[in-house]
Amino acid sequence: MPRVSALLLVVLLTCACGGKGRDAEMIERPTPEDRAALDYLNRIRANPGAFSAEIGVDLSGIAQQPALKWNAMLTRSARVRAEDMAKRNYFAHVNPDGVGPNFFAQQAGYKFPAWWGNAVNANNIESIFTTRSSANSPRFAANATGTSGIRSLIRDDGVNPPGHRQHLLGMTKFDAAFKDVGFGAARVDSGRFQYYLVVHTGVTE
């Protein structure tokens, strides 16, 4: 990525994530949608098999994991990601400038283990969900919530291996180490996608 673009991105993120005042205070607070998504995810993590029928996939062999804690910095980075995808009409873990989720979370103030490195396009922390354009998409977008997004990510239709499920339910040694979580959601009226959910997880050393 050109140096000028990288510097501009840092400035924009500093304004969006690190500023003081009423807007900065608001972005740190969990919304009712955040709280509902966190509660739902933690209930599934506590007893995955009990949610097999509701999710639509067999979760009976998945081990219980501790509850994740809501984190303001990860919520900031997740919201910046969701709003950027909505504004620029794309859906990907790396944005059109070549920047990945780890960078956004670090700019929001979250400290990752040093051994992760500092690659600008790295993603160790993110699951994303969207509703795509279709004849019925306005209805789907209007009904989409953090909770329904979590359900879809854990079902992980068509994804092999089911990376979002592994991430959110701590199914690998790496994913089981996560302790913190943040959520971001955005809606738009037009474009290829109408609703975005971003989940960022984190662990510090």
Side-chain angles (χ1 to χ4, degrees):
M1 180 171 59
R3 185 178 179 185
V4 172
S5 296
L7 290 173
L8 177 59
L9 180 60
V10 170
V11 171
L12 291 172
L13 284 171
T14 300
C15 294
C17 297
K20 302 297 182 182
R22 185 173 182 181
D23 290 343
E25 291 174 359
M26 289 299 293
I27 203 169
E28 293 183 1
R29 298 177 185 172
T31 65
E33 187 171 349
D34 293 337
R35 293 186 185 279
L38 176 60
D39 177 69
Y40 186 61
L41 175 56
N42 281 335
R43 285 191 290 117
I44 299 171
R45 286 169 62 91
N47 189 0
F51 288 83
S52 295
E54 182 174 330
I55 300 295
V57 65
D58 184 9
L59 305 176
S60 61
I62 300 175
Q64 175 184 355
Q65 292 296 334
L68 295 170
K69 296 187 302 180
W70 180 85
N71 181 274
M73 290 174 283
L74 293 175
T75 294
R76 281 184 241 170
S77 63
R79 289 176 180 173
V80 168
R81 286 277 296 130
E83 290 163 7
D84 184 60
M85 285 192 284
K87 181 178 180 180
R88 296 204 274 176
N89 192 28
Y90 73 96
F91 180 68
H93 289 297
V94 177
N95 75 8
D97 305 310
V99 182
N102 287 20
F103 182 88
F104 285 88
Q106 288 172 314
Q107 288 298 308
Y110 199 91
K111 305 297 182 184
F112 294 120
W115 64 269
W116 282 18
N118 292 303
V120 73
N121 64 346
N123 172 29
N124 299 104
I125 67 168
E126 183 177 84
S127 283
I128 53 177
F129 165 80
T130 190
T131 57
R132 297 178 182 272
S133 294
S134 70
N136 296 320
S137 60
R139 176 173 61 84
F140 291 141
N143 293 334
T145 64
T147 299
S148 66
I150 292 295
R151 186 180 303 115
S152 294
L153 285 167
I154 292 174
R155 188 166 56 248
D156 235 3
D157 287 337
V159 181
N160 187 25
H164 302 108
R165 186 186 311 157
Q166 293 172 347
H167 174 215
L168 297 179
L169 299 187
M171 293 172 61
T172 69
K173 183 178 180 180
F174 185 89
D175 294 320
F178 288 124
K179 307 298 181 187
D180 301 323
V181 68
F183 301 90
R187 288 179 170 83
V188 291
D189 295 328
S190 61
R192 289 182 296 164
F193 313 101
Q194 280 75 47
Y195 173 82
Y196 297 85
L197 175 69
V198 177
V199 185
H200 282 179
T201 55
V203 59
T204 57
E205 283 187 341

